[in-house]
Amino acid sequence: MEMQTGTDLFNLQGRRALVTGSGQGIGLALAYGLARAGATVVLNDLDEARVRNAAEKMVREGFKAEYAVFDVTKQPAVAEAVDHIEKTFGAIDILINNAGIQRRAPLEDFASENWDAIVNVNLSSVFYVSQAVARHMIPRQKGKIINICSVQSLLARPTIAPYAATKGAVAMLTKGMCTDWAKHGIQANGIAPGYFITELTKPLVENEEFSSWLCKRTPANRWGNVEELTGAAVFLASNASNFVNGQVIYVDGGLTSCV
Ligand code: NAP
């Protein structure tokens, strides 16, 4: 096996990464992180204008970016889109399952349509997209899958029990992918963000009481900036992590290390 050293270990030149739900927020920040390390990124989102504008902006900035509009919860559309990307753009070497939604309500009042939506977007999509991509990675005996988990993979909070249930399941699905696919040269790992400022957390950022509680609760004493997730993503997408499999890296300012 050829040994790489130093920054070569993290070089993503010549690799293509599909990042779901990457028209904005964490997904877009992760796409930038991988692109800065040399990868070609394929942005995905539901909103065509949003994802096209984001990809065009990246290209103007000198990065290699493409885009594909599809709904990660629709299995046949996912398989078609993945096949199309493989055929027209090229091999997907790295997949980041990032698309996710939040719905908040006391569990006793939680609407079943919101339960279905959360399970579909946060959990079923990870199965659909990963299976479609893994079917291409397996013959190549090589691939990196990164699942965006959450501190709610470990800890619950009032009004978001369904979200926590899906994120706990994604952490376990990550171990399952490792168990079934490690023998095919695929590494599947998770990144569990703490609290980062994005559209998804807007109601919390705007809630002064929550925000001040969170800063006291987090050893780092602050919210995270989305760029702070990119180091873990580049590590898990690169040769630096070739024997790391089934793990979840918590990028949370210490939140899950302290009560
Ligand atoms: P965000 O700003 O809302 O971005 C998520 C993106 O996914 C949105 O552009 C959204 O589009 C898209 N999306 C939703 N449903 C989709 C579907 N069916 N198919 C394709 N794209 C879809 O959220 P974020 O904060 O960046 O969160 C990204 C991931 O990080 C999520 O998995 C979330 O659970 C996780 N996370 C976030 C935090 C945090 O502090 N922000 C913490 C822990 C984990 P629409 O806007 O059109 O719905």
Side-chain angles (χ1 to χ4, degrees), residues 4 8-10 12 15 142 144 235 237-242:
Q4 289 183 305
D8 280 355
L9 272 172
F10 300 92
L12 299 179
R15 315 262 174 100
K142 199 171 174 1
K144 300 274 186 183
F235 169 60
S238 69
N239 288 348
S241 61
N242 279 353

Side-chain angles (χ1 to χ4, degrees), residues 39-190:
T40 300
V41 293
V42 184
L43 306 184
N44 152 264
D45 216 297
L46 285 172
D47 182 331
E48 162 136 36
R50 181 193 286 164
V51 76
R52 187 184 56 241
N53 289 340
E56 287 175 356
K57 181 167 182 283
M58 287 188 84
V59 170
R60 282 197 302 278
E61 290 165 348
F63 299 111
K64 294 176 283 249
E66 296 148 346
Y67 68 92
V69 180
F70 60 92
D71 181 340
V72 292
T73 67
K74 304 277 186 288
Q75 190 174 30
V78 165
E80 266 172 44
V82 166
D83 291 349
H84 179 76
I85 293 167
E86 284 267 339
K87 212 162 142 191
T88 55
F89 300 158
I92 300 168
D93 306 289
I94 301 155
L95 165 65
I96 303 189
N97 285 304
N98 165 80
I101 58 169
Q102 179 63 287
R103 301 277 187 271
R104 297 179 179 86
L107 192 53
E108 65 276 18
D109 299 329
F110 211 89
S112 65
E113 58 268 29
N114 283 340
W115 167 270
D116 290 343
I118 282 209
V119 170
N120 287 337
V121 180
N122 294 6
L123 176 60
S124 302
S125 77
V126 179
F127 164 61
Y128 300 148
V129 185
S130 302
Q131 185 189 58
V133 170
R135 286 177 175 170
H136 290 277
M137 288 176 167
I138 288 168
R140 295 193 283 264
Q141 294 288 292
K142 199 171 174 1
K144 300 274 186 183
I145 298 178
I146 300 169
N147 297 323
I148 302 306
C149 301
S150 168
V151 291
Q152 269 83 43
S153 296
L154 272 186
L155 305 170
R157 268 197 58 73
T159 74
I160 58 166
Y163 179 86
T166 60
K167 291 297 183 178
V170 171
M172 273 315 294
L173 185 55
T174 304
K175 292 188 185 203
M177 288 180 193
C178 157
T179 305
D180 277 22
W181 295 338
K183 62 178 176 290
H184 298 300
I186 296 172
Q187 289 87 51
N189 292 288

Side-chain angles (χ1 to χ4, degrees), residues 211-227:
S211 198
S212 97
W213 169 83
L214 175 72
C215 292
K216 281 194 208 109
R217 171 71 182 78
T218 305
N221 233 279
R222 62 174 175 83
W223 287 79
N225 301 309
V226 287
E227 290 72 28

